[in-house]
Amino acid sequence: PQPLSDFISTLEAHLPWNDRESLDWCVSLQLEGASAVWAGIDMLLQLQILRGNRHREMVAVGAKSYHGPPSTSFGSSSPLFTKHAQIMYPVPVAGEEIDEEVLLLQFERFLDKHGDQIGVLLIEPQWGSSQVGLPWPKNLAKQYVEMAKERGILVLADEIMCGLGRHGQGTLFLSEAWQLDPDAVTFGKSIGGGVYPLSGAVIKTGGVLLGANGKTVMQSHTFAGSSTRALMTGTEVLNMLPNWFNSV
């Protein structure tokens, strides 16, 4: 339908990667942030399997991370059950002195021990309530992403909280402003103006491979991405936001 085509073409102009039009990207539309994160993880893990990396079953999350309700989502809290598919890596902590050299050494040791098991690394370039809005030191975030990708780990930048220009760096996604070059990025339901539920996960490459193998995401909703009004609103939000970037 036309509203879907309009939304996707408008979103493409804001993707956080160079040569957007030549990328083999795809988006999974969801209803809210937690499902978007699940969809991004799902697509990246399926790509790992299709590329012959079935042994990479783990998802690495920050030690202070939050990616949705703790009872059902990835993140550092697990009040109802042990999340056997995830493993936590060291991150800066709000209220504590940040020693980048120490953190890089700790992260390198973490990768030495667990790198071959990890399929996806989740990173929040700027935290939400779990770390009182603490942004990563820019160069530290870039080094974490580069180190993970050098080990064959796919990186998902969760920008549910800081994306859509709210980071104040003049772009839709902080990943673009900081040149993080993640393998996937998420956006949250604020793209629907707070009225119509819409969120999503975008992967940089692999859309053709997933489609050729009949793959789809396991985590979804009956009406995910099907609301004409949500798509039309999302398109207008994407068109309007650049006018406000200098005011954030």
Side-chain angles (χ1 to χ4, degrees):
Q2 191 62 43
L4 177 60
S5 298
D6 291 343
F7 176 78
I8 289 176
S9 63
T10 306
L11 176 65
E12 183 178 51
H14 293 283
L15 296 181
W17 303 292
N18 296 324
D19 302 321
R20 299 178 180 97
E21 295 182 358
S22 64
L23 292 178
D24 172 27
W25 69 279
C26 70
V27 59
S28 173
L29 297 178
Q30 300 292 326
L31 292 182
E32 38 71 45
S35 294
V37 174
W38 270 100
I41 292 171
D42 194 343
M43 289 190 289
L44 292 181
L45 286 178
Q46 289 190 65
L47 284 176
Q48 290 282 27
I49 292 173
L50 291 172
R51 293 168 178 170
N53 300 317
R54 186 173 290 274
H55 61 286
R56 293 187 175 275
E57 299 177 337
M58 302 295 289
V59 176
V61 302
K64 295 289 183 178
S65 61
Y66 176 87
H67 301 284
S71 59
T72 57
S73 303
F74 285 91
S76 58
S77 300
S78 54
L80 297 183
F81 65 98
T82 300
K83 300 168 185 175
H84 297 288
Q86 79 169 23
I87 186 169
M88 286 185 282
Y89 62 88
V91 299
V93 177
E96 298 182 7
E97 182 178 353
I98 298 175
D99 189 324
E100 296 188 22
E101 291 186 4
V102 170
L103 282 168
L104 286 170
L105 180 60
Q106 292 175 346
F107 187 57
E108 184 175 21
R109 290 172 177 169
F110 168 84
L111 292 176
D112 287 341
K113 184 175 181 179
H114 304 290
D116 290 341
Q117 304 170 274
I118 300 170
V120 177
L121 181 135
L122 268 171
I123 185 169
E124 297 169 271
Q126 181 175 344
W127 282 277
S129 58
S130 65
Q131 289 248 62
V132 293
L134 176 73
W136 276 75
K138 176 182 175 180
N139 290 331
L140 182 64
K142 290 186 68 171
Q143 289 184 78
Y144 264 53
V145 172
E146 291 170 1
M147 291 167 67
K149 294 176 71 171
E150 287 173 356
R151 305 283 185 124
I153 300 168
L154 298 178
V155 177
L156 170 56
D158 179 5
E159 297 210 28
I160 301 297
M161 298 299 294
C162 70
L164 302 184
R166 287 172 291 185
H167 48 78
Q169 302 299 306
T171 58
L172 194 77
F173 294 106
L174 184 54
S175 297
E176 179 181 4
W178 283 3
Q179 298 180 319
L180 296 182
D181 193 28
D183 298 287
V185 67
T186 61
F187 57 88
K189 56 182 175 288
S190 55
I191 200 170
V195 179
Y196 303 107
L198 181 67
S199 66
V202 188
I203 61 171
K204 179 181 179 180
T205 62
V208 172
L209 181 60
L210 291 174
N213 287 273
K215 300 298 183 181
T216 184
V217 298
M218 182 181 300
Q219 173 74 8
S220 188
H221 292 281
T222 303
F223 298 106
S226 66
S227 169
T228 298
R229 290 182 177 180
L231 293 167
M232 293 174 68
T233 302
T235 299
E236 292 304 312
V237 167
L238 290 172
N239 284 326
M240 179 192 68
L241 278 176
N243 298 325
W244 295 94
F245 284 164
N246 291 334
S247 300
V248 180

